[in-house]
Amino acid sequence: ASYSFLLDRTARKVKQYAQQQFKRGGFDVTVDQWLVLKNLAENPELSQTELANLVFKDHPTLTRILDLLTKKGYIIRVQHPQDRRSFQLHLTPDGVTKVAELRPKVLQFREKAWENLTINRHLRVGHFVTLLCLSNNFLYETYEMLHI
């Protein structure tokens, strides 16, 4: 039980730290919005359901995030060619630019968050979290938070 608490607290602290960095850096997106943009950049033409599964958000929450990203001009919804009831999500040119602009900054403060760990400890933590994620799908969100 204490490991579950530690993992949850760690994921929350990492997300808080990341959100502070996003705010301080004037990123114009939240951590959750970044995860959506990053996943769309890495997986073009996802449906909303596929994206919801990747970022572990329920549909109403993801819809709000997508609406905000659409308003900001970072994504567009395109009707799915085979299923008129669903949409594919695409980054706009501004969205592609935003991901390219933020990726090195996110990597930089992610490295800062881990700087007090030796390489060996960093690898051990990564290995441990990866094993947990592989054996327990519900822990994948923690893994995503640790790898923003």
Side-chain angles (χ1 to χ4, degrees):
S2 63
Y3 284 123
S4 296
F5 173 76
L6 280 173
L7 277 172
D8 183 58
R9 192 173 90 194
T10 301
R12 288 176 194 270
K13 289 285 189 186
V14 168
K15 188 172 181 179
Q16 276 179 335
Y17 173 76
Q19 194 58 56
Q20 289 169 352
Q21 298 305 309
F22 275 51
K23 207 174 234 182
R24 195 172 290 142
F27 286 13
D28 184 41
V29 294
T30 65
V31 171
D32 289 335
Q33 291 169 359
W34 163 248
L35 289 173
V36 167
L37 291 173
K38 177 176 107 42
N39 276 284
L40 285 175
E42 294 169 357
N43 306 284
E45 299 183 4
L46 288 175
S47 71
Q48 191 165 329
T49 300
E50 292 165 329
L51 182 60
N53 291 333
L54 273 176
V55 297
F56 287 89
K57 298 292 176 201
D58 60 39
H59 284 279
T61 301
L62 182 60
T63 297
R64 282 191 300 277
I65 293 170
L66 295 174
D67 288 345
L68 289 168
L69 291 172
T70 300
K71 272 186 187 174
K72 292 178 181 186
Y74 297 143
I75 66 163
I76 56 170
R77 293 174 173 111
V78 176
Q79 193 164 13
H80 195 284
Q82 283 85 33
D83 183 358
R84 298 165 93 194
R85 296 167 297 157
S86 70
F87 293 91
Q88 290 179 325
L89 303 166
H90 299 272
L91 290 177
T92 64
D94 285 348
V96 171
T97 299
K98 180 57 84 173
V99 170
E101 170 194 327
L102 294 185
R103 189 180 303 269
K105 294 176 182 179
V106 171
L107 289 173
Q108 184 179 27
F109 72 72
R110 191 174 100 199
E111 287 175 18
K112 175 85 173 144
W114 291 94
E115 77 181 355
N116 291 326
L117 288 180
T118 64
I119 290 173
N120 187 35
R121 285 189 175 165
H122 185 274
L123 291 173
R124 286 179 21 210
V125 168
H127 179 72
F128 173 74
V129 172
T130 301
L131 286 175
L132 281 173
C133 293
L134 292 174
S135 63
N136 300 294
N137 272 345
F138 66 92
L139 289 173
Y140 187 77
E141 185 173 0
T142 300
Y143 178 80
E144 273 295 303
M145 287 289 84
L146 295 173
H147 289 83
I148 295 173

